[in-house]
Amino acid sequence: MLNSVGLIGVGAMGTALLARLHIAHHKVKAYDVSEDRVRFARDQGAEGVSSVAEASRDVGAVHVFVRTDQELLDVCLADAGILATAAPGTLVFMHSTVMPDTCRQIAGAAEACGVVALDAPVTAVPRHVAAGDATFLLGGPENVKAAAIAHLEPLGRAACHFGPTGAGSVAKIAKNLINCRFSI
């Protein structure tokens, strides 16, 4: 079932990942708050859906690109959110650069549903993601590390596991701080 995936957030980064998901031969169910972005995803070969619940139903993995911690909490924890809809065993990849505690909160709620939430922020800008040059900084349980890496590696250059959920976000924030420090 990992060949069928959900994609929530079809902005610049989500669109770039959509291209990689197609190259990796995944069937994609895409949702965005913007109907124009859903239409765009449909034009790119995805099944455009009208809700987070639809994008999370009957898929092996859900990829999430939203802007803020609160948006990530809402998408994952709402009554019609990912955790309310995804089947046990579904992998939820939280790609947004958010606080590690946000990822850990969602992972705790996911565990209670039998879903696995992993933080997997991306170290590239959209054009590099679309070209397959992204690195995914993965945080999540050891027992799903191999499956998560196997799913992510065809989408980019590498998927590096840093430890339990939240560790990928710590790595991304550290990377951003180092980049900021040396670009001033």
Side-chain angles (χ1 to χ4, degrees):
M1 187 153 48
L2 269 181
N3 283 338
S4 183
V5 302
L7 174 62
I8 298 170
V10 193
M13 292 295 279
T15 295
L17 187 67
L18 176 60
R20 300 308 306 170
L21 289 165
H22 284 312
I23 288 169
H25 306 290
H26 292 290
K27 179 183 173 201
V28 181
K29 293 167 57 172
Y31 170 74
D32 194 281
V33 294
S34 164
E35 290 180 24
D36 288 341
R37 299 309 302 165
V38 173
R39 271 192 298 281
F40 174 81
R42 193 176 297 120
D43 291 344
Q44 300 304 306
E47 176 187 349
V49 297
S50 61
S51 69
V52 169
E54 284 182 80
S56 306
R57 189 176 293 119
D58 300 322
V59 296
V62 180
H63 294 268
V64 184
F65 280 102
V66 294
R67 295 173 296 177
T68 68
D69 290 70
Q70 189 59 56
E71 288 175 351
L72 185 59
L73 289 164
D74 292 346
V75 162
C76 290
L77 304 179
D79 288 343
I82 295 169
L83 300 185
T85 311
T90 302
L91 301 178
V92 177
F93 294 100
M94 301 176 283
H95 295 298
S96 306
T97 302
V98 296
M99 298 304 294
D101 283 342
T102 300
C103 296
R104 288 190 278 268
Q105 178 183 348
I106 292 166
E111 186 176 9
C113 301
V115 172
V116 181
L118 308 103
D119 52 323
V122 184
T123 65
V125 296
R127 67 183 166 89
H128 291 270
V129 173
D133 291 331
T135 298
F136 298 93
L137 307 178
L138 186 61
E142 190 70 32
N143 65 326
V144 297
K145 176 175 95 172
I149 289 173
H151 177 72
L152 292 172
E153 279 185 336
L155 306 179
R157 181 184 322 170
C160 303
H161 186 257
F162 285 88
T165 304
S169 294
V170 169
K172 177 67 184 285
I173 292 167
K175 178 206 170 291
N176 286 358
L177 289 171
I178 290 166
N179 286 354
C180 179
R181 167 73 174 110
F182 291 107
S183 65
I184 294 177

